[in-house]
Amino acid sequence: MIIKPEISGVVARSAHPLGCEKAILEQIDYVKKASQIKQGPKRVLIVGASSGFGLAARIALTFGGSNADTIGVSFERGPSDKGVGSAGFYNDLYFKKYAETANRLAINIHADAFSPQTKKDVIEAIETYFEGEVDLIIYSVASGVRPNYQTGGQWRSTIKPIDEAVTGASISLEDDSWNESVLEAANQTEIDETLKVMGGDDWEAWIDALINSESIAQGCQTVAFSYIGPELTHPIYLDGTLGRAKVDLHQTSHSLNLKLVNFNGGAYASVCKALVTKASVFIPGLTPYLMALYQVMKQQGTHEGCIEQMQRLFSTKLYGVDKVPVDGERLIRIDELELDSNTQTQVRQLVESMNATNFSQLGDYEGLKREFMKMNGFSFDNIDYDSDIDLKQLIKTLS
């Protein structure tokens, strides 16, 4: 079949396998040439491993100096009557291919990270492949829904401000249109449910399950990814439901740190830069900021993507250092280039000047959309997107 991009609003409904392979190879090439991770972990569990920061972390730890074996948990769909499958499905397959070519172990577990059964399955895999212990647990789950396995119901996350409504603009990647909207303030139920989905509760459940099964190695660390952002984004992010969930994640890192001290390890939340990811494109009002940020940081030569952020995190912050550098809240900060005062002054000026008629000229909309397309295997050079792909044969070859 010939696979073409299908976008609905900010959701990609198709993915191109050959482009997914190219994305994996580009990231592998980057980390091999970058400053290497020293004294890094050898047995790594990544919960949320198929895209964004989770995938970049997996690539960095395998190919960027640590030579880690990995178990990756992700909730992805393969090809069916409904479509060709998700980009994350192909990312997992191609990552495994190239990891095994480099004589590294790569176990993919496609299952719901929130499920107690998935935790049991992963513990069994750790026993089978890692001699029963892990050195690092990365928690990188971004979901809109979390099943409640006790009641059969579910919690849903909501992206809303708290206390008062906020007006902001979003860009439809489907038709490149600027859309102004008003987000009403969240009610208490929406706040509470967002905390259950996006906060630290499931991260703690994973660590508790691993401790109880004696799967934690001496010196084991765990890290989850967060975002704070500048004052410009606070009304929709930090001061909203997502920000409330991230504060809960930060607090969870402190309680987990006390537990892992018993293993001479530690737990950290790492505050990352704003980037185009499968999750961030859903945040109303954030796209104009991203366009302006990309424009300014690319001009300054300070722009980083997921893979650059992860390689820098593991090579300069978490490993090969005498002491993990944290701020006053015990957060690892790799967002310092984004929050540079000169950068933010220029970004604010651009955002305040943007409107429906000039946003693509003032901001880096072309770069933002290209990055979104590449996340789903499109817009790469030297790929014939008119070629016929036999998905069954491709998957058979990779499996």
Side-chain angles (χ1 to χ4, degrees), residues 156-166 182-195 235-237 239-245:
R156 290 188 175 276
S157 63
T158 305
I159 304 172
K160 283 187 175 183
I162 294 175
D163 294 332
E164 59 183 12
V166 169
V182 177
L183 287 178
E184 299 299 331
N187 59 41
Q188 192 59 48
T189 298
E190 291 171 324
I191 295 171
D192 293 342
E193 290 201 9
T194 303
L195 226 64
I236 188 55
Y237 200 98
D239 298 335
T241 53
L242 286 179
R244 187 72 61 87

Side-chain angles (χ1 to χ4, degrees), residues 15 36 70 75 84 131 133 142 152 166-167 187 189 194 197 223 240 245 259 263 296 298 317 320 322 342 389:
Q36 297 293 280
T70 61
F75 200 37
V84 300
E131 299 180 340
E133 294 182 333
V166 169
T167 300
N187 59 41
T189 298
T194 303
V197 179
V223 61
K259 295 178 181 181
F263 301 87
V296 172
K298 285 180 180 180
K317 307 284 188 181
D322 294 331
N342 180 49
I389 305 291

